[in-house]
């Protein structure tokens, strides 16, 4: 297996007037395979949401379990409820399976054709068709490489602009041209999905005529980031914690005033506080020579956790942390958009200030925040490790 990272992200736009989206995206993985399923439920609203949710969860679970396409489709046909009016029950779907970071299997039923970019240019792959349970299934198999991008869409994307800029909607050729023109190897899967969904929203004049979802997978090099928060449980562990932290490759983030002072002492430099309050609700940044990003701890990480929940929701065309320079936004940009492998170094010292019963929750809060943030990052597909001192 090549040591690449499969970056993933998606954005969904609800049909105007609907509270629930009739599309659903699920990412799954096992030891050697990464899976993306995009399901588009029949119609819109609650029924479509239920159909899409059932379809995506079933297909992702069965695909991760190594089930064949026939078994997956048979299960979907037998499971989905039937519409009393139309006497049909289905959700269209696309499945992408990438094994060993190289071998790609695309399976789709009635969804728009997946777009694949290789080094920023459209890759016109071949596909075969066959009938399974009366449904025409399209299948493709090919090898992928570094910087390949896979763009999966619901049909809301290709109908964008219908009746406005385009007589027949924003057709596949136009979408390919748009993706090629806006390609950059540094753009994350989420950023690509956001850009394409934002253009769909613009073509709909801010009122999507159909649920519109864009899901993206991207193969890229792995990048490590290391975050240290809190001093160790005893001063005798200072040297060990700092030596192991600074010996790691990749970028370094240090959170907490005391922790930054310890790091500065280890590095033989001074700590200085920034006078630029980028966000009045958050503490300012520190500056420590040899540390890429130095911030406050609890309040800042709490905000990062909020941003992680926003990231995973996949509902916003612009993110709260994009382009901002406060500590929480900079950490979010680093952990969400750049890092693929994240190491947490967590000190277990009890801060004397926390001996006050009114502040005692702050000590436990640090561990809860790191635990919750680690889980959110793993949901994003990151490789996470946590070490306590």
């Amino acid at each position: 297996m090549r040591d690449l990272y499969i970056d993933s992200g998606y954005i969904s736009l609800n049909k105007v007037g609907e509270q629930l989206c009739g599309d659903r995206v699920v990412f799954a993985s096992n030891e050697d395979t990464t899976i993306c399923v995009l399901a588009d439920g029949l119609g819109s609203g609650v029924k479509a949401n239920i159909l899409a949710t059932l379809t995506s969860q079933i297909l992702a679970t069965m695909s991760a379990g190594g089930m064949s396409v026939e078994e997956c489709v048979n299960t979907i046909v037998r499971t989905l409820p039937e519409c009393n009016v139309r006497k049909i029950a289905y959700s269209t779907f696309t499945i992408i399976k990438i094994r060993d970071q190289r071998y790609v299997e695309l399976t789709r039923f009635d969804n728009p054709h997946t777009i694949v970019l290789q080094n920023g240019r459209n890759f016109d792959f071949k596909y075969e068709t066959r009938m399974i349970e009366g449904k025409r299934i399209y299948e493709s198999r090919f090898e992928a490489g570094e910087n390949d991008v896979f763009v999966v869409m619901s049909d809301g994307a290709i109908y964008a602009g219908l009746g406005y800029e385009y007589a027949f909607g924003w057709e596949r050729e136009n979408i390919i041209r748009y993706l090629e023109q806006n390609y950059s190897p540094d753009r994350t899967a989420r950023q690509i999905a956001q850009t394409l969904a934002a253009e769909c929203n613009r073509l709909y004049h801010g009122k999507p005529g159909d649920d519109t979802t864009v899901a993206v997978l991207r193969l890229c090099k792995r990048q490590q980031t290391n975050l240290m928060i809190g001093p160790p449980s005893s001063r005798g562990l200072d040297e060990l914690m700092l030596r192991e932290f600074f010996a790691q490759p990749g970028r370094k983030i240090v959170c907490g005033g005391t922790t930054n002072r310890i790091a500065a002492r280890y590095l033989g430099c001074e700590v200085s506080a920034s006078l630029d309050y980028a966000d009045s609700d958050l503490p300012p940044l520190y500056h420590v020579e040899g540390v890429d990003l130095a911030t406050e701890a609890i309040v800042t990480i709490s905000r990062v956790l909020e941003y992680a929940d926003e990231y995973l929701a996949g509902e916003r065309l612009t993110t709260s942390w994009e382009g901002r320079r406060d500590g929480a936004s900079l950490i979010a940009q680093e952990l969400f958009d750049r890092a693929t492998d994240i190491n947490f170094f967590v000190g277990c010292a009890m801060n004397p200030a926390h001996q006050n019963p009114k502040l005692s929750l702050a000590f436990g809060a640090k561990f809860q925040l790191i635990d919750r943030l680690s889980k959110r990052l793993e949901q994003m597909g990151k490789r996470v490790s946590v070490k306590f001192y």
Side-chain angles (χ1 to χ4, degrees), residues 5-11 148-151 179 182-196 214-220 223 311 319 321-322 332-340 382:
Y5 173 71
I6 302 178
D7 179 27
S8 61
Y10 78 96
I11 297 293
D148 282 6
V149 175
F150 302 83
V151 181
L179 288 168
N182 288 275
Y183 173 79
S184 167
D186 297 326
R187 305 195 73 194
T188 67
R190 178 186 58 82
Q191 289 167 342
I192 295 169
Q194 280 181 318
T195 301
L196 189 55
V214 179
V216 177
L217 295 174
R218 180 179 70 103
L219 275 70
C220 57
Q223 297 187 55
Y311 181 107
T319 56
W321 64 88
E322 202 85 36
Q333 291 164 28
E334 182 64 45
L335 300 187
F336 305 168
D337 295 338
R338 299 191 190 96
T340 64
K382 313 290 185 179

Side-chain angles (χ1 to χ4, degrees), residues 174-309:
N174 296 319
I175 297 175
I176 289 172
R177 189 177 304 112
Y178 181 85
L179 288 168
E180 290 178 337
Q181 291 172 347
N182 288 275
Y183 173 79
S184 167
D186 297 326
R187 305 195 73 194
T188 67
R190 178 186 58 82
Q191 289 167 342
I192 295 169
Q194 280 181 318
T195 301
L196 189 55
E199 182 63 10
C200 290
N201 193 53
R202 186 190 71 81
L203 292 173
Y204 275 124
H205 291 212
K207 298 179 179 180
D210 192 8
D211 297 308
T212 304
T213 296
V214 179
V216 177
L217 295 174
R218 180 179 70 103
L219 275 70
C220 57
K221 290 182 178 178
R222 306 197 74 89
Q223 297 187 55
Q224 181 169 304
T225 293
N226 311 284
L227 187 150
M228 180 166 61
I229 179 170
S233 57
S234 68
R235 295 198 63 177
L237 291 174
D238 284 3
E239 176 77 17
L240 174 64
M241 181 179 183
L242 290 160
R243 185 174 67 248
E244 292 186 349
F245 176 75
F246 284 106
Q248 291 290 324
R251 292 172 62 83
K252 309 292 191 299
I253 302 172
V254 178
C255 300
T258 302
T259 315
N260 273 290
R261 287 193 292 273
I262 294 172
R265 186 168 64 243
Y266 177 83
L267 295 170
C269 62
E270 299 292 328
V271 178
S272 60
S274 170
L275 299 179
D276 180 17
Y277 282 78
D279 186 328
S280 59
D281 293 333
L282 291 171
L285 299 172
Y286 300 107
H287 175 74
V288 178
E289 189 71 31
V291 173
D292 296 296
L293 179 59
T295 75
E296 183 274 341
I298 300 299
V299 175
T300 301
I301 296 298
S302 295
R303 182 69 63 83
V304 175
L305 185 61
E306 293 177 13
Y307 291 159
D309 289 334

Side-chain angles (χ1 to χ4, degrees), residues 76-104:
I76 292 297
V77 171
R78 292 195 304 266
T79 303
L80 296 187
E82 185 178 88
C83 173
N84 290 329
V85 177
R86 304 188 196 183
K87 297 303 178 183
I88 56 174
Y90 70 83
S91 169
T92 65
F93 59 82
T94 302
I95 307 170
I96 298 181
K97 297 174 67 173
I98 304 178
R99 181 169 53 83
D100 294 335
Q101 303 168 354
R102 181 189 300 270
Y103 304 105
V104 180

Side-chain angles (χ1 to χ4, degrees), residues 334-387:
E334 182 64 45
L335 300 187
F336 305 168
D337 295 338
R338 299 191 190 96
T340 64
D341 299 72
I342 300 161
N343 300 320
F344 287 102
F345 294 75
V346 184
C348 299
M350 172 70 81
N351 191 316
H354 300 163
Q355 301 297 329
N356 183 328
K358 294 182 180 180
L359 299 175
S360 61
L361 287 177
F363 178 67
K366 176 175 65 177
F367 300 104
Q368 292 177 27
L369 285 171
I370 295 301
D371 178 65
R372 292 165 63 191
L373 180 57
S374 298
K375 290 176 180 175
R376 302 297 192 279
L377 292 168
E378 287 175 345
Q379 286 179 265
M380 296 177 195
K382 313 290 185 179
R383 184 186 292 169
V384 180
S385 73
V386 182
K387 190 170 183 179

